[in-house]
Protein backbone atom coordinates (compact mmCIF):
# COMPACT_ATOMS: atom_id res chain seq x y z
CA UNK A 1 0.00 0.00 0.00
CA UNK A 2 2.95 2.32 0.79
CA UNK A 3 4.42 1.44 -2.50
CA UNK A 4 1.21 2.38 -4.21
CA UNK A 5 1.06 5.72 -2.38
CA UNK A 6 4.67 6.68 -3.05
CA UNK A 7 4.19 7.57 -6.72
CA UNK A 8 1.27 9.78 -5.76
CA UNK A 9 3.02 11.60 -2.96
CA UNK A 10 6.27 12.21 -4.84
CA UNK A 11 5.01 15.25 -6.82
CA UNK A 12 3.59 16.82 -3.63
CA UNK A 13 6.85 16.36 -1.75
CA UNK A 14 8.86 17.87 -4.57
CA UNK A 15 6.51 20.89 -4.75
CA UNK A 16 6.75 21.50 -0.99
CA UNK A 17 10.54 21.26 -1.06
CA UNK A 18 10.70 23.78 -3.92
CA UNK A 19 8.49 26.24 -2.08
CA UNK A 20 10.56 25.87 1.13
CA UNK A 21 13.78 26.48 -0.80
CA UNK A 22 12.61 29.84 -2.21
CA UNK A 23 10.75 31.04 0.87
CA UNK A 24 13.70 31.35 3.26
CA UNK A 25 13.55 32.70 6.86
CA UNK A 26 11.45 35.64 7.93
CA UNK A 27 14.48 37.98 8.48
CA UNK A 28 15.60 37.46 4.88
CA UNK A 29 12.33 38.64 3.46
CA UNK A 30 12.81 40.74 0.41
CA UNK A 31 16.22 39.29 -0.46
CA UNK A 32 16.93 38.13 -3.95
CA UNK A 33 16.30 34.43 -4.73
CA UNK A 34 19.26 32.24 -3.94
CA UNK A 35 20.75 34.56 -1.27
CA UNK A 36 19.03 32.98 1.69
CA UNK A 37 21.87 30.59 2.70
CA UNK A 38 24.50 33.37 2.32
CA UNK A 39 22.56 35.72 4.51
CA UNK A 40 21.94 33.01 7.04
CA UNK A 41 25.64 32.26 7.11
CA UNK A 42 26.54 35.87 7.85
CA UNK A 43 23.90 36.12 10.57
CA UNK A 44 25.04 32.88 12.10
CA UNK A 45 28.63 34.18 12.35
CA UNK A 46 27.45 37.02 14.71
CA UNK A 47 28.26 39.93 12.37
CA UNK A 48 26.06 43.04 12.41
CA UNK A 49 24.37 44.18 9.19
CA UNK A 50 25.99 47.12 7.37
CA UNK A 51 24.69 50.52 8.56
CA UNK A 52 22.60 52.57 6.23
CA UNK A 53 24.34 55.61 4.74
CA UNK A 54 23.55 58.92 6.51
CA UNK A 55 21.61 61.50 4.54
CA UNK A 56 23.67 64.32 3.00
CA UNK A 57 23.87 67.50 5.14
CA UNK A 58 21.49 70.27 4.22
CA UNK A 59 23.27 73.22 2.52
CA UNK A 60 23.77 76.23 4.81
CA UNK A 61 22.39 79.59 3.61
CA UNK A 62 24.99 81.83 1.93
CA UNK A 63 26.31 84.75 4.04
CA UNK A 64 24.85 88.18 3.27
CA UNK A 65 26.72 90.10 0.62
CA UNK A 66 28.75 93.04 1.98
CA UNK A 67 28.50 96.42 0.23
CA UNK A 68 31.37 96.81 -2.14
CA UNK A 69 33.47 99.94 -2.12
CA UNK A 70 33.11 102.02 -5.26
CA UNK A 71 35.80 101.26 -7.78
CA UNK A 72 37.07 104.04 -10.00
CA UNK A 73 39.15 101.77 -12.26
CA UNK A 74 42.35 103.68 -11.51
CA UNK A 75 41.10 107.14 -12.54
CA UNK A 76 40.57 110.22 -10.40
CA UNK A 77 36.94 110.30 -9.20
CA UNK A 78 34.87 113.17 -10.49
CA UNK A 79 32.31 115.18 -8.58
CA UNK A 80 29.46 112.86 -9.56
CA UNK A 81 31.29 109.89 -8.04
CA UNK A 82 31.62 111.82 -4.76
CA UNK A 83 27.99 112.96 -4.68
CA UNK A 84 28.83 116.58 -5.55
CA UNK A 85 27.95 118.86 -8.43
CA UNK A 86 24.49 119.19 -9.91
CA UNK A 87 22.20 121.93 -11.18
CA UNK A 88 21.90 123.86 -7.90
CA UNK A 89 23.90 127.09 -7.38
CA UNK A 90 26.29 125.21 -5.09
CA UNK A 91 26.67 122.37 -7.61
CA UNK A 92 27.24 124.78 -10.49
CA UNK A 93 30.07 126.44 -8.58
CA UNK A 94 31.61 123.02 -7.90
CA UNK A 95 31.35 122.11 -11.59
CA UNK A 96 32.98 125.43 -12.53
CA UNK A 97 35.91 124.84 -10.20
CA UNK A 98 36.38 121.29 -11.52
CA UNK A 99 36.35 122.56 -15.11
CA UNK A 100 38.89 125.27 -14.34
CA UNK A 101 41.20 122.74 -12.71
CA UNK A 102 40.87 119.67 -14.95
CA UNK A 103 40.17 121.29 -18.32
CA UNK A 104 42.21 124.49 -18.15
CA UNK A 105 44.97 122.98 -16.01
CA UNK A 106 44.90 125.66 -13.32
CA UNK A 107 46.15 124.68 -9.86
CA UNK A 108 43.46 124.15 -7.29
CA UNK A 109 44.06 127.43 -5.48
CA UNK A 110 44.25 129.19 -8.86
CA UNK A 111 40.91 127.68 -9.91
CA UNK A 112 39.28 129.02 -6.74
CA UNK A 113 40.81 132.47 -7.26
CA UNK A 114 39.83 132.54 -10.95
CA UNK A 115 36.27 131.45 -10.16
CA UNK A 116 36.00 134.14 -7.51
CA UNK A 117 37.24 136.90 -9.82
CA UNK A 118 34.93 135.69 -12.60
CA UNK A 119 31.89 135.78 -10.31
CA UNK A 120 32.78 139.26 -9.05
CA UNK A 121 33.19 140.51 -12.62
CA UNK A 122 29.71 139.25 -13.47
CA UNK A 123 28.33 141.26 -10.56
CA UNK A 124 30.35 144.38 -11.45
CA UNK A 125 27.53 146.08 -13.47
CA UNK A 126 25.19 145.67 -10.51
CA UNK A 127 27.85 147.03 -8.15
CA UNK A 128 28.41 150.07 -10.37
CA UNK A 129 24.69 150.72 -10.42
CA UNK A 130 24.66 150.59 -6.65
CA UNK A 131 27.54 153.06 -6.56
CA UNK A 132 25.62 155.46 -8.83
CA UNK A 133 22.56 155.22 -6.61
CA UNK A 134 24.68 155.79 -3.51
CA UNK A 135 26.42 158.82 -5.04
CA UNK A 136 23.06 160.33 -6.02
CA UNK A 137 21.70 159.65 -2.56
CA UNK A 138 24.65 161.33 -0.87
CA UNK A 139 23.87 164.60 -2.70
CA UNK A 140 20.28 164.64 -1.41
CA UNK A 141 21.02 163.14 1.98
CA UNK A 142 20.82 166.40 4.02
CA UNK A 143 17.38 167.27 2.63
CA UNK A 144 16.15 163.71 3.13
CA UNK A 145 17.30 163.80 6.74
CA UNK A 146 15.41 167.06 7.35
CA UNK A 147 12.23 165.64 5.81
CA UNK A 148 12.59 162.44 7.78
CA UNK A 149 13.05 164.39 11.00
CA UNK A 150 9.96 166.49 10.24
CA UNK A 151 7.96 163.29 9.67
CA UNK A 152 9.17 161.85 12.98
CA UNK A 153 8.15 165.01 14.84
CA UNK A 154 4.74 164.96 13.20
CA UNK A 155 4.19 161.34 14.26
CA UNK A 156 4.97 162.27 17.87
CA UNK A 157 2.15 164.81 17.76
CA UNK A 158 -1.58 164.17 17.72
CA UNK A 159 -2.41 165.84 14.40
CA UNK A 160 -2.86 163.25 11.63
CA UNK A 161 -2.94 165.94 8.93
CA UNK A 162 0.63 167.00 9.73
CA UNK A 163 1.76 163.38 9.48
CA UNK A 164 0.13 163.05 6.05
CA UNK A 165 1.65 166.32 4.84
CA UNK A 166 5.16 165.44 6.07
CA UNK A 167 4.96 161.96 4.51
CA UNK A 168 3.75 163.32 1.16
CA UNK A 169 6.60 165.85 1.11
CA UNK A 170 9.18 163.10 1.70
CA UNK A 171 7.73 160.80 -0.96
CA UNK A 172 7.37 163.58 -3.53
CA UNK A 173 10.97 164.67 -2.97
CA UNK A 174 12.24 161.10 -3.51
CA UNK A 175 10.19 160.74 -6.71
CA UNK A 176 11.22 164.13 -8.03
CA UNK A 177 14.93 163.43 -7.62
CA UNK A 178 14.74 159.66 -8.21
CA UNK A 179 16.38 158.67 -4.94
CA UNK A 180 15.52 155.81 -2.62
CA UNK A 181 17.60 154.82 0.42
CA UNK A 182 16.51 151.17 0.07
CA UNK A 183 18.42 150.83 -3.21
CA UNK A 184 21.67 150.88 -1.27
CA UNK A 185 20.87 147.39 0.04
CA UNK A 186 20.60 145.91 -3.47
CA UNK A 187 24.29 145.02 -3.77
CA UNK A 188 24.54 143.29 -0.35
CA UNK A 189 21.37 141.32 -1.10
CA UNK A 190 23.00 139.93 -4.25
CA UNK A 191 26.51 139.41 -2.91
CA UNK A 192 25.36 137.55 0.22
CA UNK A 193 23.83 134.55 -1.66
CA UNK A 194 26.98 134.38 -3.80
CA UNK A 195 29.18 134.24 -0.72
CA UNK A 196 27.00 131.56 0.89
CA UNK A 197 26.99 129.46 -2.30
CA UNK A 198 30.79 129.59 -2.60
CA UNK A 199 31.15 128.78 1.10
CA UNK A 200 28.87 125.71 0.90
CA UNK A 201 30.49 124.54 -2.35
CA UNK A 202 34.03 124.69 -0.98
CA UNK A 203 32.98 123.28 2.39
CA UNK A 204 31.40 120.27 0.68
CA UNK A 205 34.40 119.68 -1.58
CA UNK A 206 36.73 119.83 1.43
CA UNK A 207 34.57 117.42 3.45
CA UNK A 208 34.39 114.78 0.67
CA UNK A 209 37.35 115.40 0.12
CA UNK A 210 38.00 116.08 -3.54
CA UNK A 211 41.35 114.38 -4.35
CA UNK A 212 42.87 117.44 -5.98
CA UNK A 213 42.16 119.49 -2.83
CA UNK A 214 44.67 117.43 -0.81
CA UNK A 215 47.72 118.76 -2.66
CA UNK A 216 46.25 121.87 -4.29
CA UNK A 217 47.35 124.49 -1.81
CA UNK A 218 50.12 127.02 -1.91
CA UNK A 219 53.09 127.68 0.32
CA UNK A 220 52.41 126.93 3.97
CA UNK A 221 48.90 125.50 3.33
CA UNK A 222 49.37 122.61 0.86
CA UNK A 223 46.10 120.90 1.84
CA UNK A 224 43.06 122.97 0.93
CA UNK A 225 40.74 120.55 2.74
CA UNK A 226 42.41 121.22 6.12
CA UNK A 227 42.61 124.40 8.23
CA UNK A 228 45.61 126.68 7.97
CA UNK A 229 48.25 125.15 10.29
CA UNK A 230 49.82 128.57 10.99
CA UNK A 231 46.51 130.53 11.24
CA UNK A 232 47.84 133.14 8.82
CA UNK A 233 44.87 132.98 6.44
CA UNK A 234 42.24 133.66 9.16
CA UNK A 235 44.18 136.72 10.31
CA UNK A 236 44.56 138.02 6.76
CA UNK A 237 40.87 137.49 6.06
CA UNK A 238 39.89 139.30 9.26
CA UNK A 239 42.16 142.28 8.50
CA UNK A 240 41.00 142.55 4.87
CA UNK A 241 37.34 142.32 5.90
CA UNK A 242 37.87 145.17 8.35
CA UNK A 243 39.45 147.26 5.59
CA UNK A 244 36.54 146.56 3.24
CA UNK A 245 34.02 147.66 5.86
CA UNK A 246 36.11 150.69 6.81
CA UNK A 247 36.60 151.93 3.24
CA UNK A 248 33.11 151.08 2.04
CA UNK A 249 31.63 154.30 3.45
CA UNK A 250 34.17 156.38 1.49
CA UNK A 251 33.01 155.10 -1.91
CA UNK A 252 29.60 156.75 -1.70
CA UNK A 253 27.68 154.02 0.09
CA UNK A 254 25.94 155.99 2.78
CA UNK A 255 22.51 156.08 4.33
CA UNK A 256 20.77 157.94 7.13
CA UNK A 257 21.94 156.65 10.46
CA UNK A 258 24.90 154.80 9.02
CA UNK A 259 27.25 156.15 11.68
CA UNK A 260 26.19 153.81 14.52
CA UNK A 261 25.96 150.88 12.11
CA UNK A 262 29.49 151.54 10.94
CA UNK A 263 30.73 151.55 14.51
CA UNK A 264 29.17 148.14 15.10
CA UNK A 265 30.56 146.71 11.85
CA UNK A 266 34.09 147.61 12.88
CA UNK A 267 34.06 144.99 15.63
CA UNK A 268 32.34 142.19 13.71
CA UNK A 269 35.48 140.76 12.00
CA UNK A 270 37.26 140.48 15.33
CA UNK A 271 34.21 138.89 16.98
CA UNK A 272 33.89 136.25 14.23
CA UNK A 273 37.60 135.33 14.22
CA UNK A 274 37.34 132.52 16.85
CA UNK A 275 34.45 130.95 14.92
CA UNK A 276 36.13 130.92 11.49
CA UNK A 277 39.67 130.00 12.52
CA UNK A 278 39.17 126.27 11.77
CA UNK A 279 37.54 126.68 8.35
CA UNK A 280 39.19 124.80 5.44
CA UNK A 281 41.93 126.69 3.63
CA UNK A 282 39.84 126.57 0.44
CA UNK A 283 37.21 128.81 2.06
CA UNK A 284 39.88 131.31 3.12
CA UNK A 285 41.33 131.27 -0.40
CA UNK A 286 37.98 132.38 -1.79
CA UNK A 287 37.36 134.87 1.00
CA UNK A 288 40.78 136.52 0.71
CA UNK A 289 40.47 136.77 -3.08
CA UNK A 290 37.03 138.35 -2.80
CA UNK A 291 38.25 140.88 -0.24
CA UNK A 292 41.23 141.74 -2.43
CA UNK A 293 38.88 142.35 -5.38
CA UNK A 294 36.72 144.62 -3.20
CA UNK A 295 39.72 146.64 -2.04
CA UNK A 296 40.98 147.03 -5.61
CA UNK A 297 37.53 148.10 -6.76
CA UNK A 298 37.30 150.64 -3.94
CA UNK A 299 40.70 152.07 -4.79
CA UNK A 300 39.88 152.40 -8.49
CA UNK A 301 36.54 154.07 -7.87
CA UNK A 302 38.30 156.77 -5.87
CA UNK A 303 40.10 157.91 -9.05
CA UNK A 304 38.06 160.81 -10.54
CA UNK A 305 38.73 159.82 -14.15
CA UNK A 306 37.50 156.27 -13.61
CA UNK A 307 34.45 157.46 -11.70
CA UNK A 308 33.53 159.72 -14.59
CA UNK A 309 34.12 156.90 -17.07
CA UNK A 310 31.65 154.54 -15.33
CA UNK A 311 29.15 157.34 -14.61
CA UNK A 312 29.59 157.57 -10.84
CA UNK A 313 29.28 161.12 -9.54
CA UNK A 314 32.17 162.40 -7.41
CA UNK A 315 31.51 162.56 -3.67
CA UNK A 316 30.54 165.90 -2.25
CA UNK A 317 33.19 167.82 -0.37
CA UNK A 318 32.37 168.24 3.29
CA UNK A 319 31.68 171.95 3.90
CA UNK A 320 33.67 173.53 6.68
CA UNK A 321 31.78 174.07 9.88
CA UNK A 322 30.76 177.70 10.40
CA UNK A 323 30.77 178.74 14.06
CA UNK A 324 27.51 180.28 15.26
CA UNK A 325 28.91 181.73 18.46
CA UNK A 326 32.13 182.47 20.25
CA UNK A 327 34.84 179.89 19.88
CA UNK A 328 34.95 177.49 22.79
CA UNK A 329 37.84 177.95 25.17
CA UNK A 330 40.48 175.32 25.26
CA UNK A 331 40.37 173.16 28.31
CA UNK A 332 43.10 173.86 30.79
CA UNK A 333 45.55 171.15 31.62
CA UNK A 334 45.65 169.30 34.89
CA UNK A 335 48.64 171.31 36.16
CA UNK A 336 46.92 174.62 35.40
CA UNK A 337 43.81 173.54 37.24
CA UNK A 338 45.89 172.54 40.25
CA UNK A 339 47.63 175.94 40.24
CA UNK A 340 44.26 177.73 40.22
CA UNK A 341 43.12 175.69 43.18
Amino acid sequence: MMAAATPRLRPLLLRSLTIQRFRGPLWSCGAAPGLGPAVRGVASAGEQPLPLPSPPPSPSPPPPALPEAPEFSGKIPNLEDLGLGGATPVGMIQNLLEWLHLELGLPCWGAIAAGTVGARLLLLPLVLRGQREAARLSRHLPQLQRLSQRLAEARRGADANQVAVAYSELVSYQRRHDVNPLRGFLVPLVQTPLFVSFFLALQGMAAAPVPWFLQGGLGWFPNLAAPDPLYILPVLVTASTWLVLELGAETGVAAPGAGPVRQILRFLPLVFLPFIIHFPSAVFTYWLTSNGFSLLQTGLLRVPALRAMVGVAPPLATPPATPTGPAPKAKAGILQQLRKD
Side-chain angles (χ1 to χ4, degrees):
M1 187 166 183
M2 290 294 295
T6 300
R8 297 177 182 179
L9 296 175
R10 185 177 296 173
L12 296 175
L13 292 174
L14 292 175
R15 184 181 301 172
S16 61
L17 289 174
T18 304
I19 293 174
Q20 182 66 25
R21 180 181 178 185
F22 288 96
R23 180 177 296 176
L26 294 176
W27 55 266
S28 64
C29 182
L35 297 178
V39 175
R40 283 196 300 269
V42 172
S44 61
E47 297 181 1
Q48 298 294 331
L50 296 176
L52 296 176
S54 59
S58 59
S60 58
L66 298 176
E68 297 181 357
E71 297 181 359
F72 304 111
S73 64
K75 68 180 183 67
I76 299 178
N78 53 21
L79 296 180
E80 186 178 357
D81 298 331
L82 298 174
L84 302 174
T88 62
V90 175
M92 294 173 64
I93 292 175
Q94 293 172 346
N95 293 331
L96 173 64
L97 296 179
E98 183 186 38
W99 181 79
L100 290 173
H101 174 67
L102 298 181
E103 300 297 332
L104 297 185
L106 295 178
C108 189
W109 64 270
I112 297 175
T116 305
V117 173
R120 293 298 302 268
L121 287 176
L122 290 178
L123 294 180
L124 187 59
L126 182 62
V127 173
L128 293 178
R129 179 180 178 182
Q131 294 291 335
R132 298 188 192 99
E133 295 291 339
R136 186 185 301 113
L137 179 63
S138 64
R139 292 179 173 274
H140 300 277
L141 187 59
Q143 183 65 22
L144 289 175
Q145 288 178 343
R146 285 192 293 267
L147 294 176
S148 299
Q149 184 178 1
R150 185 182 304 174
L151 178 60
E153 293 176 354
R155 287 177 176 175
R156 286 194 295 266
D159 192 356
N161 293 329
Q162 292 183 0
V163 176
V165 171
Y167 180 76
S168 63
E169 289 179 356
L170 178 61
V171 173
S172 62
Y173 185 87
Q174 291 180 356
R175 290 179 178 176
R176 186 166 60 254
H177 297 280
D178 192 19
V179 291
N180 190 353
L182 296 179
R183 294 176 185 173
F185 298 97
L186 180 62
V187 176
L189 287 178
V190 176
Q191 289 183 345
T192 300
L194 178 66
F195 175 83
V196 174
S197 299
F198 260 96
F199 174 80
L200 295 178
L202 295 173
Q203 188 80 8
M205 297 175 75
V210 176
W212 33 278
F213 262 38
L214 302 179
Q215 297 295 331
L218 179 68
W220 69 93
F221 56 100
N223 187 0
L224 291 177
D228 184 3
L230 301 180
Y231 303 109
I232 297 178
L233 289 178
V235 175
L236 292 177
V237 166
T238 301
S240 59
T241 303
W242 181 83
L243 284 176
V244 169
L245 295 176
E246 188 70 16
L247 298 177
E250 298 180 2
T251 59
V253 180
V261 176
R262 184 181 176 187
Q263 297 295 332
I264 296 175
L265 292 178
R266 284 177 175 176
F267 296 97
L268 285 183
L270 190 60
V271 171
F272 286 125
L273 179 60
F275 301 97
I276 68 174
I277 197 169
H278 294 294
F279 280 176
S281 300
V283 176
F284 288 124
T285 303
Y286 159 74
W287 204 339
L288 191 60
T289 305
S290 180
N291 287 347
F293 187 91
S294 298
L295 292 175
L296 178 62
Q297 170 186 297
T298 302
L300 292 178
L301 287 178
R302 296 181 67 178
V303 178
L306 292 179
R307 292 178 68 95
M309 186 181 302
V310 297
V312 179
L316 292 177
T318 304
T322 57
T324 57
K329 295 181 180 181
K331 293 183 178 180
I334 299 177
L335 297 177
Q336 295 180 357
Q337 292 181 359
L338 291 176
R339 290 174 182 176
K340 290 180 180 181
D341 295 339

